[in-house]
Amino acid sequence: MDEISEIEQMIDVVDLIGGYVGLKKSGRNYKGLCPFHSEKTPSFMVSQELQIFKCFGCGESGDIFSFLQKIEGITFPQALEQLAEKAGVVLQNVQIDKDSSQKKIIYEINHLATSFYQYILLKHPAGKKATEYVKEKRGLKLDTIREFKIGYAPDSWDLLYKFLKKRKYSDQDLIMSGVVVPRKSGDGCIDKFRGRVMFPFVDLDGKVVGFSGRTIFDRDTKYLNTAETLVFHKSRYLFGLDKARVNLKKEGAVFVEGQMDVISAYQAGIKNIIASSGTSLTNDQLNIVSRYTKDVTFCFDSDVAGITAIARAIELADRMDFNVRVAMIPSDYKDIDELIKKEGKDAKSMLNNSVPVYDFFLVKALKSYDRRDPIGKKKIVEELVPIFSKISSDVILSHYVETLAKEAQVSEDLIMSLVKKKANINDFSEFRGNKAEGTEKSFSKTSIESYFLAMIFKADVDTAENFLYKLAREDFSETSTQEVFTELKRYIKEKGAFDIAGFIDTIKSDLEVPVRELYMWDIGTLTEDPKKFGTELGSAVSRIKKASAKRKITELTERLKLAEVEKNVKEIKELTEELKKYSSKLI
């Protein structure tokens, strides 16, 4: 047994987390208030059987090592050492940060590559066209170019490769760094970046962890980024954070889409701008930002993709309790970089006049459709209801419902009822009926099908088998729940018992995460009262069957309409009989 496994056996996840979080037993799991985001209703679950934790509010999850890393803000080697000492395990076979020597080599190669690219851009004839591009077309000053270490990868097959080989680096080391790739035939390597302006990815400690290259020859793949390496992880990297972090604490963070947006803004005196750089915003990136500020402004491109990116980013940030605003780029400009080039002062004014996130969606919807037209009103309400349903504050929700009702001239009560209905679709409390006074609102969010499976995971094997056989695969509308349902029936039939760890070992890898989450969802004290638990399961089965019947009726009705158009008497008769059969299931 290795030292890590020994530590995992000696330290219980409930004991460790219980030292930081007040945990209460909830069925087979434990729950408490998440230590990683602000919440009033517990959504943080810990499984003693699986030795993992999961927050259903902010999404944080992991084991004892990742918990200690997150809660203490330390590295894995530091967490390993602390837990080893706590467990009384002597670390002998585990090398702390076993990749440290390889990482050092990658940093060296990246540093040399950065110097090489910048030399080509500023001092070599091969960089003349690229120099014209960054200075004249992109409007960058020499000081800005040097500060961001911008360079140029010449349009040549292997100049960088030859340069680095003279420094005695092996092909394996160069490939590992990501600046070269193996030749498709023959020995040796070729440069990964060719004919591209190079933007180094600089980490907080000033080290270059990777690159982004922008073609100046209008070739496919406008931007090409370093692939994942030992030192570069795109889901955790934020371009410009090394320069913006002090200003983030003073002014909040402004998120833009690309490197040039950050660089142009920085040159214009806007120093609190960062970018996710070629990837959708992630929880990891927001966690990093939260160390500096809880105030974020999204200023993405004004095209459809930019609007979509804002919507995704807002949902993540809102869940993590950020104070979110949106800066709306004037429709005449594609992005902040373009705005700065033409109207520098307007860019600062735009950011200063950013609006609360829900105002942004409200204005967008009202501009998109004619509120005087009944269909326009319908589209406005349909677009905004799902967004407003995610608002957690009753005060803020009331404000926007009132505003929407007034603008669209629709009943306020109607809009509020639609919003509440949409919110309840994702709330287990809808399935439980009226809750007893003093009980906590369920935080788990999914469909009735998943709620049923979450309960089945908590049931004894006889109860589970009994209720599983009341349903069929086709009664489930979601592919994931269909697969979990089928796998559960199979496992219990084969084993005659149920063990969560054993079950996970037998299923497809893409089902592991949803199964773990289903198992960890809080269903309160239902299992403590067998009669109440059975009633709840029976109610869920009934609702699933009725929903299944409704879907079948919809399908049959459409087929019947077609048969009537085709005057297919035989099919009309058959479909009518089937409709009667399924309609009777709704009574």
Side-chain angles (χ1 to χ4, degrees):
M1 181 187 298
D2 61 29
E3 284 92 345
I4 291 178
S5 298
E6 194 175 347
I7 291 169
E8 288 174 332
Q9 284 203 353
M10 296 294 293
I11 296 179
D12 181 75
V13 68
V14 174
D15 293 338
L16 176 69
I17 294 177
Y20 297 88
V21 180
L23 296 176
K24 292 182 179 179
K25 194 82 164 71
S26 179
R28 293 178 181 173
N29 300 312
Y30 293 79
K31 70 178 177 181
L33 294 172
C34 179
F36 304 116
H37 81 289
S38 177
E39 63 177 6
K40 295 180 180 178
T41 302
S43 61
F44 185 81
M45 301 297 294
V46 183
S47 170
Q48 198 160 40
E49 290 170 284
L50 297 174
Q51 288 293 300
I52 59 175
F53 69 91
K54 167 75 179 182
C55 175
F56 289 90
C58 69
E60 289 288 1
S61 62
D63 57 10
I64 55 172
F65 298 101
S66 53
F67 178 83
L68 197 62
Q69 283 180 257
K70 295 174 195 297
I71 199 75
E72 296 286 2
I74 58 178
T75 63
F76 174 76
Q78 292 170 320
L80 181 61
E81 287 182 312
Q82 287 187 24
L83 291 174
E85 183 178 355
K86 186 179 180 70
V89 174
V90 178
L91 296 174
Q92 294 177 339
N93 298 327
V94 176
Q95 178 186 350
I96 303 302
D97 195 3
K98 59 184 176 58
D99 297 321
S100 60
S101 60
Q102 290 178 304
K103 288 179 180 179
K104 183 180 178 182
I105 292 171
I106 294 175
Y107 286 132
E108 289 174 358
I109 291 171
N110 286 346
H111 173 74
L112 287 170
T114 301
S115 300
F116 173 86
Y117 293 142
Q118 192 157 63
Y119 173 82
I120 297 294
L121 177 71
L122 298 178
K123 297 183 179 179
H124 196 281
K128 183 179 179 181
K129 182 175 181 179
T131 303
E132 292 173 354
Y133 172 82
V134 295
K135 286 185 175 180
E136 297 174 17
K137 187 171 182 179
R138 305 314 297 254
L140 299 184
K141 299 174 183 177
L142 184 58
D143 287 347
T144 304
I145 293 170
R146 286 178 172 154
E147 185 161 6
F148 282 88
K149 303 179 182 180
I150 299 169
Y152 176 63
D155 195 25
S156 171
W157 285 105
D158 56 6
L159 272 182
L160 176 65
Y161 173 63
K162 290 176 179 177
F163 169 78
L164 293 171
K165 286 295 287 184
K166 289 179 181 178
R167 270 67 181 173
K168 307 300 182 183
Y169 290 104
S170 69
D171 284 1
Q172 183 179 352
D173 289 338
L174 295 175
I175 293 168
M176 178 179 64
S177 74
V179 295
V180 304
V181 293
R183 290 184 180 275
K184 290 183 179 179
S185 60
D187 297 329
C189 301
I190 58 172
D191 298 349
K192 175 172 182 173
F193 302 98
R194 302 186 299 278
R196 294 176 179 273
V197 173
M198 300 299 292
F199 302 95
F201 291 154
V202 181
D203 213 346
L204 294 177
D205 58 5
K207 294 177 181 176
V208 177
V209 297
F211 300 91
S212 179
R214 202 276 189 199
T215 180
I216 61 171
F217 295 105
D218 294 324
R219 291 170 181 161
D220 285 342
T221 313
K222 183 186 289 186
Y223 281 93
L224 183 64
N225 290 350
T226 297
E228 295 272 317
T229 69
L230 290 175
V231 302
F232 175 64
H233 308 284
K234 65 180 181 180
S235 67
R236 299 203 293 269
Y237 180 75
L238 288 163
F239 186 82
L241 184 61
D242 59 310
K243 293 178 174 56
R245 53 184 168 172
V246 174
N247 295 87
L248 260 55
K249 291 183 177 181
K250 301 175 187 174
E251 307 169 52
V254 175
F255 274 98
V256 292
E257 286 203 69
Q259 294 91 243
M260 275 308 306
D261 293 323
V262 171
I263 296 168
S264 292
Y266 190 88
Q267 182 173 270
I270 304 169
K271 303 292 179 73
N272 61 327
I273 292 206
I274 52 180
S276 56
S277 198
T279 182
S280 298
L281 191 63
T282 66
N283 279 323
D284 284 340
Q285 290 166 332
L286 284 170
N287 273 325
I288 292 169
V289 172
S290 69
R291 300 172 190 168
Y292 306 97
T293 183
K294 275 293 187 178
D295 298 318
V296 298
T297 299
F298 291 111
C299 180
F300 290 172
D301 295 357
S302 56
D303 57 13
V304 174
I307 298 297
T308 304
I310 284 180
R312 286 196 303 263
I314 285 167
E315 188 170 351
L316 279 181
D318 194 48
R319 284 209 309 260
M320 295 176 69
D321 207 29
F322 279 89
N323 305 312
V324 186
R325 300 180 72 87
V326 175
M328 292 185 278
I329 297 172
S331 56
D332 293 341
Y333 305 98
K334 178 182 178 295
D335 51 33
I336 194 171
D337 176 40
E338 188 175 292
L339 176 60
I340 287 170
K341 285 183 177 59
K342 296 179 180 177
E343 304 288 346
K345 292 182 180 179
D346 285 356
K348 291 184 179 179
S349 176
M350 175 197 65
L351 293 175
N352 290 335
N353 293 319
S354 62
V355 298
V357 56
Y358 297 108
D359 283 3
F360 165 76
F361 285 117
L362 182 65
V363 171
K364 174 178 168 288
L366 292 173
K367 283 184 176 180
S368 299
Y369 309 107
D370 183 1
R371 72 189 84 173
R372 296 166 299 180
D373 177 69
I375 300 301
K377 288 182 182 183
K378 179 174 179 286
K379 289 181 178 179
I380 289 169
V381 172
E382 286 177 344
E383 185 169 307
L384 293 174
V385 161
I387 295 167
F388 290 173
S389 70
K390 295 173 184 176
I391 298 175
S392 55
S393 167
D394 289 339
V395 174
I396 295 175
L397 175 60
S398 176
H399 166 79
Y400 284 105
V401 167
E402 181 182 349
T403 304
L404 174 56
K406 182 178 179 181
E407 293 290 345
Q409 294 185 336
V410 177
S411 163
E412 192 174 323
D413 289 341
L414 172 61
I415 293 174
M416 184 61 83
S417 69
L418 291 171
V419 169
K420 292 295 186 183
K421 183 178 180 181
K422 182 67 178 177
N424 283 339
I425 287 174
N426 295 321
D427 195 317
F428 276 179
S429 60
E430 178 198 12
F431 308 134
R432 296 178 181 172
N434 296 325
K435 297 173 67 65
E437 185 177 347
T439 59
E440 295 172 340
K441 180 182 177 183
S442 170
F443 58 85
S444 304
K445 295 181 176 179
T446 188
S447 68
I448 184 67
E449 298 172 9
S450 296
Y451 176 48
F452 169 76
L453 291 172
M455 286 193 291
I456 286 292
F457 276 125
K458 311 298 190 300
D460 61 74
V461 67
D462 291 335
T463 302
E465 190 168 24
N466 177 33
F467 282 97
L468 282 171
Y469 279 90
K470 291 179 184 293
L471 294 167
R473 181 184 175 97
E474 57 267 24
D475 287 326
F476 292 80
S477 62
E478 304 166 13
T479 303
S480 58
T481 51
Q482 285 179 346
E483 292 179 348
V484 173
F485 168 78
T486 302
E487 289 298 315
L488 263 173
K489 286 182 72 174
R490 172 196 58 78
Y491 184 84
I492 290 176
K493 183 178 180 180
E494 289 176 0
K495 305 291 184 181
F498 182 75
D499 170 67
I500 183 62
F503 177 62
I504 288 173
D505 286 341
T506 69
I507 59 178
K508 298 187 301 182
S509 59
D510 61 342
L511 287 179
E512 288 184 15
V513 171
V515 163
R516 288 178 192 274
E517 293 193 0
L518 280 169
Y519 185 76
M520 294 180 72
W521 281 345
D522 178 30
I523 62 168
T525 58
L526 275 174
T527 53
E528 295 176 11
D529 184 339
K531 185 177 180 180
K532 183 179 178 182
F533 188 42
T535 301
E536 188 75 0
L537 278 167
S539 174
V541 167
S542 176
R543 294 197 60 177
I544 291 172
K545 280 185 170 295
K546 284 186 177 180
S548 176
K550 286 179 180 178
R551 291 195 302 274
K552 190 66 177 178
I553 288 169
T554 301
E555 175 197 334
L556 292 170
T557 301
E558 291 302 316
R559 288 173 58 190
L560 182 59
K561 288 178 183 177
L562 184 61
E564 288 172 343
V565 170
E566 295 174 345
K567 294 182 172 56
N568 188 330
V569 177
K570 181 181 177 182
E571 189 171 2
I572 289 172
K573 183 178 179 181
E574 291 173 351
L575 291 171
T576 301
E577 289 301 315
E578 273 200 89
L579 270 171
K580 288 180 182 177
K581 181 179 73 173
Y582 282 100
S583 296
S584 66
K585 294 182 180 182
L586 299 180
I587 299 172

